[in-house]
């Protein structure tokens, strides 16, 4: 199983959740991930594990969204507000913070590195620097 793929799926779901507010059930059925020719029983074991991992992050992040957003607000510089953060960076931050604060078993440094790599792939040119700074501050607290 690729935890990175699971994290990417979780980030994409949380981005969608924030932008369009689909139900949690709609996000967690992953129909938005399936290709036209792919049927649910044809999903590989690895893809099932990735989706299970992503489901934990998605559901946990949504359940703890107020606490997670408060952590983000508390670790922004005085010139920033949470509303100013672009939605891609916000989704990456939320998933990483959930995993750092509410799941055990993965070192914060690994979670931060994964978040930075996802930001480099999906975010703006400098978003990974911002994400690194916020997550590093949260991790140090």
């Amino acid at each position: 199983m690729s935890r990175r793929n699971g994290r990417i799926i979780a980030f994409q779901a949380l981005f969608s959740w924030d932008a369009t507010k689909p139900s949690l059930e709609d996000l967690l059925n992953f129909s938005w991930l399936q290709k036209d020719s792919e049927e649910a029983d044809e999903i590989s074991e690895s893809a099932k594990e990735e989706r299970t991992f992503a489901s934990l992050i998605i559901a946990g992040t949504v359940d703890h969204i107020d606490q997670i957003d408060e952590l983000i607000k508390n670790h922004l510089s005085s010139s920033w507000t949470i509303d100013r953060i672009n939605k891609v960076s916000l989704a990456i931050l939320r998933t990483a913070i959930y995993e750092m604060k509410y799941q055990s078993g993965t070192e914060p440094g690994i979670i931060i590195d994964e978040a930075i790599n996802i930001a480099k792939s999906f975010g703006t040119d400098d978003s990974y620097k911002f994400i690194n700074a916020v997550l590093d501050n949260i991790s140090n607290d």
Side-chain angles (χ1 to χ4, degrees):
M1 169 186 84
S2 166
R3 285 192 168 225
R4 175 168 294 172
N5 286 343
R7 288 181 179 104
I8 290 170
I9 293 167
F11 140 71
Q12 290 171 330
L14 265 289
F15 175 84
S16 174
W17 176 82
D18 195 33
T20 62
K21 300 295 185 217
S23 71
L24 188 56
E25 183 180 319
D26 287 342
L27 287 177
L28 296 178
N29 75 20
F30 297 107
S31 61
W32 52 275
L33 274 179
Q34 295 175 345
K35 298 178 177 84
D36 292 336
S37 62
E38 184 181 65
E39 300 211 8
D41 352 334
E42 295 177 6
I43 298 172
S44 71
E45 195 59 39
S46 175
K48 288 178 185 176
E49 290 176 11
E50 289 168 359
R51 291 177 186 188
T52 300
F53 180 66
S55 294
L56 294 171
I57 295 172
I58 296 163
T61 302
V62 170
D63 285 346
H64 294 91
I65 198 71
D66 292 334
Q67 297 93 333
I68 291 168
D69 284 355
E70 193 61 33
L71 274 171
I72 293 170
K73 289 174 191 174
N74 292 338
H75 289 87
L76 295 174
S77 68
S78 59
S79 63
W80 277 84
T81 64
I82 198 165
D83 297 330
R84 191 172 164 207
I85 302 171
N86 73 56
K87 297 298 184 193
V88 169
S89 295
L90 186 58
I92 295 168
L93 283 170
R94 285 172 167 166
T95 57
I97 292 167
Y98 169 74
E99 197 174 354
M100 285 185 349
K101 293 295 181 184
Y102 298 99
Q103 286 188 327
S104 60
T106 306
E107 292 294 320
I110 293 170
I111 297 166
I112 293 170
D113 286 345
E114 290 282 343
I116 289 168
N117 287 324
I118 293 169
K120 286 179 179 178
S121 296
F122 294 94
T124 62
D125 290 341
D126 290 335
S127 62
Y128 74 93
K129 295 175 187 176
F130 173 77
I131 288 169
N132 183 42
V134 173
L135 292 178
D136 198 40
N137 286 336
I138 290 171
S139 175
N140 289 334
D141 283 351

